[in-house]
Amino acid sequence: MKRSIIALLMSIPFYGAAQVKSPDNLVQYAHPIVGTQKMGHTFPGATVPFGAVQLSPDTDTISYEQDGKYNPDVYKYCAGYQYEDKSIVGFSHTHFSGTGHSDLGDFLIMPTTGALQLNPGTADKPQSGYRSVYSHKTEVAEPAYYSVRLEDHNILAELTATNRVGFHQYTFPKSDQAHIILDLMAGIYNYPDKNVWTFVRVENDSLVTGYRQTNGWARTRTVYFALQFSKPFKQYGSRRYDKKQAYRGFWGRFDQTKNFPDLAGEQLRMYFDFKTTEGEKIKLKFALSPVSTDGALKNLRAEAPGWDFEQVKRQGQQLWQQELSRVAIQAAKREDKDNFYTALYHAFLSPTTYMDVDGQYRGLDQNTHKAEGFTNYTTFSLWDTYRALHPLFNLVQPKRNADMVQSMMAHFEQSAEHMLPVWSHYANENWCMIGYHSVPVIADAIVKGNTPFDANKALDACVTTARQQWYDGLGHYLQLGYVPEDKSGSSVSKTLEYAYDDWCIAQAAQKLGRQDIYQEFSKRASNWQNVYDARIGFMRPKMSDGTFRKEFDVLSTNNQGFIEGNAWNYSLYVPQDPGKLIQLMGGNQKFVPHLDSLFTMHLPDKFFAETEDITRDGIIGNYVHGNEPAHHAAYLYNWTDQPWKTQERVRMIIKRMYHPTPDGLGGNDDCGQMSAWYVFTALGFYPVAPGSDEYALGSPVVQGATLRLENGKTFTIQVKNQSDKNVYVKQATLNGKILTRPFLKHSDIVQGGELVFTMSARPVGKL
Amino acid sequence: MKRSIIALLMSIPFYGAAQVKSPDNLVQYAHPIVGTQKMGHTFPGATVPFGAVQLSPDTDTISYEQDGKYNPDVYKYCAGYQYEDKSIVGFSHTHFSGTGHSDLGDFLIMPTTGALQLNPGTADKPQSGYRSVYSHKTEVAEPAYYSVRLEDHNILAELTATNRVGFHQYTFPKSDQAHIILDLMAGIYNYPDKNVWTFVRVENDSLVTGYRQTNGWARTRTVYFALQFSKPFKQYGSRRYDKKQAYRGFWGRFDQTKNFPDLAGEQLRMYFDFKTTEGEKIKLKFALSPVSTDGALKNLRAEAPGWDFEQVKRQGQQLWQQELSRVAIQAAKREDKDNFYTALYHAFLSPTTYMDVDGQYRGLDQNTHKAEGFTNYTTFSLWDTYRALHPLFNLVQPKRNADMVQSMMAHFEQSAEHMLPVWSHYANENWCMIGYHSVPVIADAIVKGNTPFDANKALDACVTTARQQWYDGLGHYLQLGYVPEDKSGSSVSKTLEYAYDDWCIAQAAQKLGRQDIYQEFSKRASNWQNVYDARIGFMRPKMSDGTFRKEFDVLSTNNQGFIEGNAWNYSLYVPQDPGKLIQLMGGNQKFVPHLDSLFTMHLPDKFFAETEDITRDGIIGNYVHGNEPAHHAAYLYNWTDQPWKTQERVRMIIKRMYHPTPDGLGGNDDCGQMSAWYVFTALGFYPVAPGSDEYALGSPVVQGATLRLENGKTFTIQVKNQSDKNVYVKQATLNGKILTRPFLKHSDIVQGGELVFTMSARPVGKL
């Protein structure tokens, strides 16, 4: 696989002449295929940075629910594609990257030849439907480009995209029976009643418009499209698969199955017939809009006016080159560059653009709004991404991050609950996971001074959100100082995260001189102490009556007061005050071996089995890297007298958890959080507590790096004596001055400068 | 009933001071209750002329389909209300007037007291649900005002409306348990799966917004609302009745049944709780929008900024006074005035306004469009209304009629099928009935010079529509000169109506100097002759092979090549050329007795039973007035040597078919067509062939009339010697000049003037 990617990258014009002047062709190092095997849940298809369209192959579209029962296999298909699969069902236009729940998979297109088959067929009998077997040998997956040979139909499929337009190019054999199928029933995390309504118009012999409305993870989601063919179809038709047949009245007079331009219903598949010559290319431009088919047409015309597939691909890859080159690294090994730029690629996939070229987007209230002065984004997997992804954006994508904050504020304005987003996508709040981690994203931006928006208004939104008594145990938390387990499950996780979010609000308030808010939330921020059971040295679920819950297993994640983490991992979750946590846990002497144990202990199989969203590869000892709650844990040694252990651990984690291969991610990439962890860690520092302006130093993987900041400044990282074995930092200097603490300030970076690490094979550092 | 209406009308302020100056209080003669019994299918509730909101009581909301079977009773409830019913389910905001199919009934509101009941209950056990028994004694139904006492709840309900806002006023008893129920499942012509999606937000303690999307007669219909309460509710809640439960994910953490502001699903009912004092009035403003909840809020604020119920009612009735006074009549009897202004009231209900105050509306393509320079209308029951209603508008509502044409042209622009509307409502084509009778409406406007729009473009739309080979037998018609019965049912009706529409296009083309079109369609216009079977003297279904169908019964309407009419009625349908028809039928000598027979023959019961949409009252002999195809028939004597028979017949029809009582309409009012027939006929003339500029004279019912035209001119009608017995026109003069033919030109009227009839008890006229 990799060879073919590289070969192809090298062969295209962009990487010829242009390469001489540009620093390096970075696109060659980013591999969309990474994470498509096992639990990574990434997609291999074509998209531009933060693009609204993710045009990607789906290898199955199995139903979430079948015969009234949950089908656990559906989980594998969060991104539509599993590397092991032998057949491709088709190419759909929207995909999450790395999520553990899912949705989307809108508008599946499949080109076929031979007798028309309108059902997708099954994985074990691919010839029973329109799907096709394929081989990874013919597969090319690059940023903004994907291609594969559809063997059953003898068609070469190529995909690229602009922000809002998926661009397909299918090279057909000679055939009197060439078809393009548009399956409007297909979808990811599908189930029998997910499709609420579908509406299609065949506007003329080469233009189709419509929309699809679903009730899935997003409760009320509508995506509009405009589909333009490069060649008029000979004829077209459709089939309805609705279980229910509503009143049809006088429509019954018309044969709506053939060449009928006006279709609607719940379950619909369409086909468009062509006659092709050998090697004939049929191209499709498939534009999306959150607002209307008019909007989709506008997007189509603005972004993809022509039919030059290579040009669109070139433009897409130029965009990637531009974004990836915000961080230019030097590395000893190709693998390090592959890992780094693949991680940066995955970090720059979402949040995704959610507005038309004219700024119109659908709000939470389902009204059409206009984004004035910012790009509206959607797909906020905030429980994951507040940790490292948004801090990464504050550093290398500050403009986008500020726009994301503005998108969250728009969400707040539109929210019937008067809440900032929890997990939002496509004009919906899906409430996934716990807390309200818009707050650390906003606080981080405020504290770091990245506020080309009304910071006080943003703070007010945080405060309003944090006072919603009805929300998920928050009323109890305000009353008792913790979430009582008998009132609200996952109570410890909630308490810890509320307390951290409180601290974030306090920091932002302090920065903005809002003392009353600072006082109120600083007080709340220490609530984490209320669930610490000093007798056992772990955070522990507490009941309304103030007693700790009796039944309790520190290794289990099932019903123990935690979510996506056990007490071992979650008890370390006090990013706002590791010093105090270490003190409560008995000081350095007790804490360091305790933290060591996390990485070295043996987790019995029965506990592994219940750990969500990750493979065995995602766990080191009892440290779960495949989930987020302990992502900061390896950096906690920096608050002890043995920061060299952080350096050792993070290099070990990187070695174990990130590979430039399809199975190279040990858990869900979670919209880029896992990748952002890599990017920071590889550069040698990490934002343990977003909302502070401090980074904890670790051990860089790169040999050097240049951060080209949006303010025009440059921050360079030099790593002397770098090697696989030299994982310890002997000395670090900032602008020539020796660092005496293993921390770095955000302001140190954004004002430009140079950080020099000198590495060693032994922990001899004085940091 | 009537007494209470009149008493109330007389008691309100508007009819005091204002009456001295204004010509007459005409609102008092318009009785919305007329036609609510039996087959009239009118609604008694509150609406303004051509208003978007029809706020009216529903006495049942039974399902179209139950247990998979059609429920024939649903037909009774096309307008939601049946006079015989003993209980009211609630008050919903959208109603068709007089249709034979239906839809709508959106957003049913019901105020209750006592224990909360969220199910409507049944007609036989009204106390089993939230519905209430009521008595006609407490019922007042006036233009723009309806009131009734809800006996089960001891609540006085009063309704009025602006164009886009329903205004409710409920006078409660003292109660700790006062409720307002918002039933989002209720609907007219409902069935289990009609609701596609419902979305509601409780914005604050007195404002609710949302929408309802249905798949009914309109396939893809969404209505948005904003509901403002005059008093904050204490608490609120909801219940879901969805059969299917889609993936709910993290929503499951929240109790969405109580005080939860963010709801969506298929089947939803809500309640809002209040504590009331004795006689306390709770008012609701319920605004609709075709576009968005934002649009509904805009409409609410623009049209009903305050809380003065009486003022809104007064404004609504002033609008009615203004519209009704376009035709001021003198009549001998109160009943004649009641009939006349009730008919004019019904004629001015639809088409209804279909755009927000800022001109935004939803198009057929489901995009939001803006009406530039015209009011966009919907609810085009064109197979009915092209006959007399639109011609009436061309005379007394020319501005609105031109806007309706523009609305049709917008529909054409948006139509995936490139068709003018057939039967359209709420951004949908429902294809009801046959033909494409936008054409006569447009042709009538062009021929009569009422064209403040691009007449050539409108003609082009007619031509494009008339050339759609795929449409309902039209391809065969173009090929063979008739629709063959073996290819397309109701073939004779279609042939006759296509031929008439062809003639209309020819007339419009001639007026615009488009000779090629005139030639082409003049030729097509004589196609009616192809289905005339001279051997039997009737129109008769013809097969593809050119032979007439063998099995044929001239009295039956079932499967005989006709729809909503038998061969007796439909064979007279050549409005464009009665002279030629009479000639083919054997000239005056044969035709006159033939036509006489229509009115005098005995229709055996078995044929009556199969006549749709009308009661026994709607038939005179074999003449079916309750359906439209023979509406012009009584005027055909004008083309013979015995026009006095027209005069006699139309007076007889009026006497038999129109009464100012709940059961006063002998068939569906059909969006005002039945009423428009009355208005014309009562004035003494009728548009036999819309698309010509000629009216056929009949026998006026009025003693006199003044038409106040929009061009500032006045046309007066004087009737000398008028009486119940003096039904014959002895002489008619136009501006003093004796008429020698029983016809009148449209231009004669619109340039102003005076028409004087002199009546006689015997047919001694020389017309």
Side-chain angles (χ1 to χ4, degrees), chain A residues 201 253 262 417 431 472, chain B residues 253 262 414 417 431 472:
Chain A
R201 291 157 56 93
R253 284 182 292 181
D262 189 357
E417 293 88 355
W431 303 111
D472 210 19
Chain B
R253 286 182 292 182
D262 189 357
Q414 295 153 12
E417 293 87 356
W431 303 112
D472 209 21

Side-chain angles (χ1 to χ4, degrees), chain B residues 421-495:
Chain B
V422 171
W423 206 125
S424 67
H425 73 283
Y426 287 72
N428 278 265
E429 176 57 83
N430 66 40
W431 303 112
C432 182
M433 291 303 290
I434 56 172
Y436 34 77
H437 300 298
S438 296
V439 162
V441 175
I442 290 172
D444 198 49
I446 292 174
V447 166
K448 290 173 179 166
N450 180 24
T451 50
F453 51 80
D454 185 338
N456 276 292
K457 205 171 156 191
L459 178 63
D460 289 339
C462 293
V463 169
T464 301
T465 301
R467 286 178 182 157
Q468 294 291 357
Q469 303 232 7
W470 64 274
Y471 178 73
D472 209 21
L474 192 53
H476 300 293
Y477 173 84
L478 293 178
Q479 199 191 343
L480 300 172
Y482 63 93
V483 177
E485 178 71 10
D486 49 335
K487 300 290 185 189
S488 186
S490 308
S491 64
V492 185
S493 294
K494 288 173 188 170
T495 302

Side-chain angles (χ1 to χ4, degrees), chain A residues 469-541:
Chain A
Q469 305 233 4
W470 64 272
Y471 178 72
D472 210 19
L474 192 53
H476 301 293
Y477 173 84
L478 292 178
Q479 200 190 341
L480 301 172
Y482 62 94
V483 177
E485 178 69 10
D486 48 334
K487 300 290 187 191
S488 188
S490 310
S491 63
V492 186
S493 294
K494 287 174 188 169
T495 301
L496 297 175
E497 295 186 16
Y498 288 150
Y500 164 67
D501 286 352
D502 291 341
W503 174 83
C504 287
I505 291 175
Q507 303 316 297
Q510 190 176 35
K511 173 94 178 187
L512 298 175
R514 306 275 294 271
Q515 275 305 309
D516 51 336
I517 296 172
Y518 173 70
Q519 298 295 343
E520 175 186 347
F521 283 87
S522 290
K523 202 172 153 221
R524 286 172 53 159
S526 64
N527 277 339
W528 62 271
Q529 298 180 37
N530 297 333
V531 289
Y532 181 68
D533 183 354
R535 283 171 309 161
I536 61 166
F538 285 95
M539 304 289 176
R540 182 171 182 171

